[in-house]
Amino acid sequence: MEPPVYYSRAEFIETDTGNKVSRRATIAGPQNIILGGKTIISSGAIIRGDLRRTGPGHAVVISLGRYCLVGEGCIVRPPYKTYRGNFNYYPMKIGDHVHIGTSTIVEAATIGSHVVIGKNCVIGKFTIIKDCAQIADNTIVPPNTVIPALSLFAGSPGRFMEDLPESTQEMVEAQTKQYYTRFQPLDR
């Protein structure tokens, strides 16, 4: 069993569904961000739910599933493109059991469940990451890339390296639940 990861209770807001959000994180447009429960948003993370499509009332939703971790200094913002002269943002969906490493920038369209993204990565606009995929540290995934299920991508630009074992789903789920359990307040 790995040692606990301690945090200051004063620094984190805990929701009814067990989400733990750092007061040092920037949550812009919180009404457009959905957290599935037991998700940790670390210090310095920026989640941009305030970016919208052209026209009033077209908020773009960012949804994260259960047992997700957005690492320190991460930036999560919806993908955008200009179409017929209009600049538009598009929704982003992140599945359950997704860990995003420190200082990673994510502009993906969809991230499946049981996905591990390393630190210092750039996930380009409209990237689709299928279930049980892994992105190695320092990887730059070009825009519009589709990363297949059970594959490891690494490098700059990110390339397929190897297939992951069928047990990836169970391993990642165990790791994300264990991390959440280990994430303990220092001042009880």
Side-chain angles (χ1 to χ4, degrees):
M1 188 75 178
E2 298 202 34
V5 176
Y6 289 114
Y7 68 92
S8 166
R9 192 183 289 280
E11 190 199 321
F12 279 81
I13 300 163
E14 187 163 353
T15 69
D16 295 345
T17 53
N19 297 310
K20 296 178 183 182
V21 180
S22 171
R23 293 181 191 276
R24 295 195 188 119
T26 302
I27 309 295
Q31 69 278 11
N32 303 325
I33 298 168
I34 300 165
L35 301 179
K38 296 189 163 64
T39 285
I40 300 168
I41 309 294
S42 303
S43 173
I46 299 171
I47 300 182
R48 296 293 306 269
D50 61 330
L51 304 171
R52 44 192 340 110
R53 291 178 179 222
T54 316
H58 288 90
V60 170
V61 175
I62 295 177
S63 69
L64 285 95
R66 296 170 52 78
Y67 290 102
C68 291
L69 169 70
V70 178
E72 291 189 18
C74 281
I75 299 172
V76 177
R77 62 180 170 234
Y80 61 87
K81 69 180 171 190
T82 303
Y83 179 71
R84 292 189 179 164
N86 289 329
F87 183 82
N88 278 318
Y89 285 98
Y90 292 83
M92 178 190 294
K93 182 168 178 20
I94 298 174
D96 298 332
H97 304 284
V98 174
H99 270 206
I100 302 172
T102 306
S103 302
T104 285
I105 298 171
V106 179
E107 290 186 293
T110 309
I111 297 175
S113 294
H114 307 93
V115 171
V116 177
I117 299 173
K119 61 182 191 280
N120 302 317
C121 294
V122 176
I123 308 302
K125 294 185 299 220
F126 297 103
T127 293
I128 295 173
I129 301 175
K130 303 281 189 171
D131 293 348
C132 304
Q134 292 187 7
I135 313 294
D137 292 351
N138 308 308
T139 298
I140 296 177
V141 177
N144 305 308
T145 302
V146 176
I147 296 183
L150 292 168
S151 62
L152 171 66
F153 266 57
S156 174
R159 294 184 302 284
F160 173 81
M161 299 315 247
E162 63 182 22
D163 288 316
L164 296 172
E166 290 290 329
S167 59
T168 297
Q169 179 175 334
E170 291 79 18
M171 290 187 315
V172 171
E173 190 163 320
Q175 287 167 350
T176 57
K177 285 181 173 177
Q178 187 183 49
Y179 186 88
Y180 184 84
T181 304
R182 287 171 38 221
F183 196 74
Q184 297 290 327
L186 189 58
D187 34 12
R188 291 179 181 256

